[in-house]
Amino acid sequence: ILLTAVAWNMSWFVLQAAYVPYAMQVLGMTAEGVGISLAMFGAGMVTGALLAAKIARVVAFGLSIALGPLVSVAAALSMALSIWLPTPVLPCAAFFLFGFGPILWTIGSTTLRQAVTPAHMLGRVSALVMMATAGARPLGAALGGVVGASSGPESCLVLAALGFVVQALLILASPVPRLARLPEMAAA
């Protein structure tokens, strides 16, 4: 879970480093259009949060966690597809999916972490996760800046998509997707 979250955050910030120049210079979007596309992230998060309980009733617990990384791959591919089909619709769809899937991840992975971590360790484990994921963000932004400056924003979209594939492979290779239900609470 930690490695998946770090890879997701790095990929997200590679994408963030290039998105506004890409949207305005390549797709020809206005500031208003960029703002609307970015707002789709919030719309996706709200929608995902509202549907999380229903999704959790339909799919196994571990799969509901893995949906976040899998939906992020679909989002990244939608964004990258806009290189060949330059329309603002694809980034809007991508940002919606980037909100929708990862909120399912956040709800499920936080629930799992709180269930399996002994109470006296929960603060330290949560702090480690926060430090690792927050620490990955400037690395991703710097990588995105370097790649974008040297190869163009389209290269960042492709790099980000590859990073999102990596984070999905990391969680799929773990035991998490095979969890049928939430494990028993850890002993204090």
Side-chain angles (χ1 to χ4, degrees):
I1 287 177
L2 180 65
L3 293 176
T4 300
V6 167
W8 192 95
N9 275 272
M10 282 191 72
S11 302
W12 178 244
F13 276 78
V14 166
L15 176 66
Q16 293 300 303
Y19 178 66
V20 172
Y22 172 74
M24 296 186 89
Q25 295 167 5
V26 177
L27 296 181
M29 294 171 69
T30 63
E32 178 184 27
V34 171
I36 290 169
S37 68
L38 292 170
M40 296 304 292
F41 178 72
M45 287 181 77
V46 170
T47 304
L50 291 173
L51 295 176
K54 290 180 182 169
I55 291 169
R57 285 192 293 270
V58 175
V59 300
F61 178 72
L63 183 57
S64 71
I65 294 172
L67 281 175
L70 293 171
V71 170
S72 292
V73 170
L77 293 177
S78 176
M79 184 68 77
L81 184 59
S82 72
I83 296 169
W84 298 280
L85 296 172
T87 171
V89 172
L90 290 170
C92 286
F95 277 113
F96 182 87
L97 292 173
F98 276 127
F100 184 87
I103 199 66
L104 299 176
W105 161 270
T106 300
I107 292 166
S109 65
T110 302
T111 301
L112 178 60
R113 184 172 67 239
Q114 290 175 343
V116 300
T117 304
H120 72 279
M121 295 289 295
L122 194 53
R124 286 178 262 180
V125 170
S126 295
L128 174 67
V129 171
M130 294 272 303
M131 186 266 317
T133 57
R137 294 169 186 173
L139 297 175
L143 180 60
V146 168
V147 170
S150 64
S151 302
E154 297 90 344
S155 297
C156 287
L157 300 186
V158 173
L159 178 60
L162 292 173
F164 285 112
V165 168
V166 167
Q167 58 88 45
L169 292 173
L170 286 167
I171 198 64
L172 291 175
S174 79
V176 172
R178 292 177 289 287
L179 290 172
R181 59 183 168 25
L182 183 65
E184 296 297 319
M185 298 292 281

